[in-house]
Amino acid sequence: MTSRILLIYTGGTIGMDLNPATGALEPLDFNHLIKQMPEFAAIPAGIDVYQFEAPIDSSDMNPKLWGRLVEIIVGHYDRYDGFVILHGTDTMAFTASALSFMLENLTKPVILTGSQLPVNQLRTDGKENLITSIEIAAAHDADGHPRVPEVCIYFSGKLLRGNRSTKINSEGFNAFDSFNFPPLADAGVNIIYHDEIILRPDYTKPMTPHFAMDTNVVVFTLFPGITKEIVLHLLEAPHLRGIVMRTYGSGNAPQLPWLMEALTEATRRGIIIINITQCAAGPVQMARYSGGFLLQNVGVISGYDGTVECTIAKLMHLLGHTTDTDLIREKMSRSLCGEISL
Ligand code: ASP
């Protein structure tokens, strides 16, 4: 049986070309991409294409466009076996994280990919990334279920859980990594799937889309020398509802009385503060050092080993759906779709 795949083209380097006037890369439409890639016609899957009217550089991605992607997937869900999203690399990990929460009980693959070099360049990585992503989105197991019913990023030989991924390289072809969770598949001569870690949905239930995202949030990084005035200014920002605080090491912070008082006051006002580490790998363990212990005491919640992209997306998603801060705190502290290890 030939799988049917919907290829959603949002833009990104893969389909870009040089603007002769400025010398900068600009997104072009899908026909441009396809002209550079005769191999596309030979891919053994039924592929239809849906493209954003105006393809974008992914630095222009936003929660409204995530909603568009969810709408497109929902509108085509029953007619396709899987979805491949062509997306710029810069914000791909944010989009993949957001979609993992917006597509609850996902029963079909949603694979995001792109490239570091446009597809019309001789050494492009775009062709392999696109062709392998389509193969992965089309793959089934012996029961006829999709092999990878998750939101993933495929890049440079690795299939990563989307909400565990981070862009790590602006130059090398290995643009993404997932420091706290192993790849779901490795693509070499063969594609080796690591079935034991791939999430299985409840096939008796439908996929439930979610759209609401509250953007009254901020990512805030601690650094030696941080000042009281600036932190207080941030915490008093109108409408602020959530903070992803990037702390040191295993969730540690300076033991400054004014900082602890400010955070206590913010949590008292219902602001959700999540502690994630500035380290690329490893979890937050707040009780390990006294600075982290103090944060725990003032009501800061552990973000465990979540990435910054995933933690901010999860926070926006939860804040978009409820004002019940206890419920948000409870859901932040458990894994909804494989995004943290407890
Ligand atoms: N600036 C580009 C984008 O994110 C980079 C890329 O696609 O690799 O759209």
Side-chain angles (χ1 to χ4, degrees), residues 258-332:
W258 65 260
L259 179 63
M260 296 305 154
E261 275 160 34
L263 295 174
T264 309
E265 171 56 15
T267 7
R268 197 196 53 72
R269 286 189 282 129
I271 295 176
I272 310 282
I273 309 173
I274 317 293
N275 182 353
I276 62 165
T277 175
Q278 294 175 28
C279 297
V284 154
Q285 300 170 66
M286 282 161 82
R288 198 168 148 88
Y289 297 96
S290 18
F293 187 73
L294 284 178
L295 288 180
Q296 202 170 18
N297 281 350
V298 301
V300 172
I301 320 169
S302 174
Y304 300 91
D305 58 353
T307 62
V308 65
E309 296 91 333
C310 171
T311 310
I312 196 79
K314 183 175 178 181
L315 191 55
M316 285 196 264
H317 163 73
L318 294 177
L319 289 168
H321 286 81
T322 182
T323 51
D324 179 343
T325 49
D326 288 339
L327 183 63
I328 296 171
R329 294 172 73 87
E330 187 267 316
K331 288 198 170 178
M332 281 309 307

Side-chain angles (χ1 to χ4, degrees), residues 3-296:
S3 295
R4 294 214 64 81
I5 303 299
L6 185 67
L7 182 61
I8 305 170
Y9 176 63
T10 69
T13 295
I14 193 163
M16 289 188 185
D17 207 350
L18 284 183
N19 176 331
T22 63
L25 286 170
E26 281 182 359
L28 295 173
D29 75 4
F30 190 75
N31 293 328
H32 164 83
L33 186 144
I34 228 57
K35 267 196 220 128
Q36 319 297 328
M37 198 178 158
E39 298 87 345
F40 190 76
I43 299 174
I47 305 169
D48 291 322
V49 176
Y50 189 109
Q51 70 166 317
F52 275 19
E53 305 74 59
I56 56 164
D57 183 296
S58 79
S59 39
D60 287 318
M61 192 45 81
N62 58 50
K64 203 164 162 226
L65 291 175
W66 294 338
R68 266 297 301 294
L69 286 171
V70 172
E71 259 166 26
I72 296 165
I73 291 170
V74 170
H76 296 83
Y77 202 68
D78 296 334
R79 281 175 284 146
Y80 290 89
D81 299 295
F83 300 85
V84 172
I85 302 178
L86 285 178
H87 193 292
T89 57
D90 290 347
T91 62
M92 194 187 289
F94 288 94
T95 299
S97 298
L99 293 182
S100 75
F101 301 112
M102 296 168 91
L103 300 166
E104 187 186 343
N105 196 46
L106 182 66
T107 55
K108 299 188 176 184
V110 173
I111 314 295
L112 287 97
T113 196
S115 67
Q116 293 282 59
L117 278 178
V119 82
N120 66 355
Q121 296 200 10
L122 211 49
R123 292 176 53 250
T124 186
D125 51 331
K127 293 184 185 185
E128 193 279 324
N129 284 347
L130 174 54
I131 293 167
T132 307
S133 295
I134 292 173
E135 184 168 341
I136 291 170
H140 284 86
D141 63 18
D143 300 331
H145 288 133
R147 199 77 197 254
V148 194
E150 291 203 30
V151 178
C152 302
I153 289 183
Y154 176 76
F155 222 90
S156 190
K158 281 195 258 179
L159 182 71
L160 306 175
R161 177 168 295 160
N163 57 30
R164 294 289 195 149
S165 310
T166 298
K167 183 170 178 183
I168 52 140
N169 201 325
S170 62
E171 159 77 21
F173 287 148
N174 58 330
F176 289 90
D177 211 334
S178 159
F179 291 104
N180 291 326
F181 201 76
L184 304 183
D186 290 290
V189 172
N190 296 298
I191 301 178
I192 313 289
Y193 292 94
H194 306 298
D195 293 316
E196 65 293 352
I197 55 168
I198 296 174
L199 292 173
R200 301 286 152 211
D202 182 345
Y203 286 109
T204 64
K205 293 199 180 126
M207 183 274 282
T208 308
H210 299 280
F211 293 92
M213 285 270 168
D214 189 327
T215 52
N216 289 301
V217 292
V218 73
V219 178
F220 149 58
T221 303
L222 290 180
F223 59 92
I226 195 162
T227 68
K228 180 177 176 182
E229 290 67 29
I230 290 173
V231 172
L232 291 187
H233 192 71
L234 175 80
L235 293 177
E236 276 152 25
H239 314 300
L240 181 66
R241 292 187 67 203
I243 301 173
V244 174
M245 186 163 73
R246 298 180 66 238
T247 60
Y248 306 130
S250 53
N252 215 359
Q255 300 176 49
L256 298 165
W258 65 260
L259 179 63
M260 296 305 154
E261 275 160 34
L263 295 174
T264 309
E265 171 56 15
T267 7
R268 197 196 53 72
R269 286 189 282 129
I271 295 176
I272 310 282
I273 309 173
I274 317 293
N275 182 353
I276 62 165
T277 175
Q278 294 175 28
C279 297
V284 154
Q285 300 170 66
M286 282 161 82
R288 198 168 148 88
Y289 297 96
S290 18
F293 187 73
L294 284 178
L295 288 180
Q296 202 170 18

